[in-house]
Amino acid sequence: LDVTLPNGNHYKSTSETMPTGSSASDSVYFDVSTRKMVSSENVEINVWYVNIRLNTLLSEAKDARYRWGIDEVYSVYPTCWPGSISCPKICYVYQPTSRFNIALADPSQLIDPKINNLLLQERSVDESFNGRHYFNVTQYVMNPETYQYWKRVQEIVVKKGSIFDTPPARIRGNISNEDNPSDYAFGYFEASRTRVSRVRVDRGYIPIQLPSCDYNAQIPSNSNYCYDCTILEGSTLIEPDWF
């Protein structure tokens, strides 16, 4: 990667080689759970979650390292009033991967290449589950050097609240200033092989009533998107071909 900024600074990454390790055999699934919480009104309530989990069988190739990222896409049906000539179009809303969800695996450090019941994301249930809701899990096959970068990121962002937590610090990537090698850019340029698995959560799996844009249902408190769902961040009117 070679970049020249408007101010003339020239940044270049080290060369990256596509990893030769095989993809892992992933099986993605979900379950629904509940926890008791205390609301702001000091009332005990049940909070429901959709948990995205992974079973995988890793390749034992010596140069294979793995990372999994997750994002979601769900449909929003705007309010269609009785007698309307036409109804507003359905929106499809893309939610990016959380920077705190970093799942990594190094087969050389594991006795068993099988990983079962790995929690990738715990998603609180809200009105986004009224329609079709997909979670997309992307598997990245990485080189050992790329894995070490993401391992350092994981150590920084995943805090356990202990005095032994790694203190926040700038993580050195592989992109530096050509004229000043000590001037490193944030981030890492990587060449990884990817594979996507999808899991679909339909409304029927959610055992509670949810606010809805339907004209005769409980309208969500922030209901502006019920009339124009394109105001939602990440929304589009174009349906994904796999949806």
Side-chain angles (χ1 to χ4, degrees), residues 104-166:
L104 301 169
D106 177 357
S108 67
Q109 301 298 314
L110 301 174
I111 298 175
D112 189 342
K114 294 180 182 178
I115 299 177
N116 292 321
N117 203 33
L118 176 65
L119 178 63
L120 296 178
Q121 180 164 315
E122 184 184 61
R123 172 69 153 82
S124 58
V125 170
D126 57 21
E127 54 265 26
S128 68
F129 287 91
N130 269 312
R132 194 175 296 179
H133 201 130
Y134 276 93
F135 290 88
N136 304 316
V137 176
T138 303
Q139 174 198 126
Y140 299 85
V141 184
M142 308 177 295
N143 289 314
E145 297 78 14
T146 307
Y147 172 84
Q148 288 303 320
Y149 172 82
W150 282 105
K151 187 68 175 176
R152 291 192 293 271
V153 173
Q154 184 188 56
E155 290 170 354
I156 293 296
V157 302
V158 181
K159 298 295 184 182
K160 301 179 177 63
S162 163
I163 61 173
F164 301 107
D165 281 348
T166 304

Side-chain angles (χ1 to χ4, degrees), residues 161-177:
S162 163
I163 61 173
F164 301 107
D165 281 348
T166 304
R170 181 175 179 178
I171 301 173
R172 177 173 289 191
N174 64 346
I175 308 170
S176 62
N177 191 322

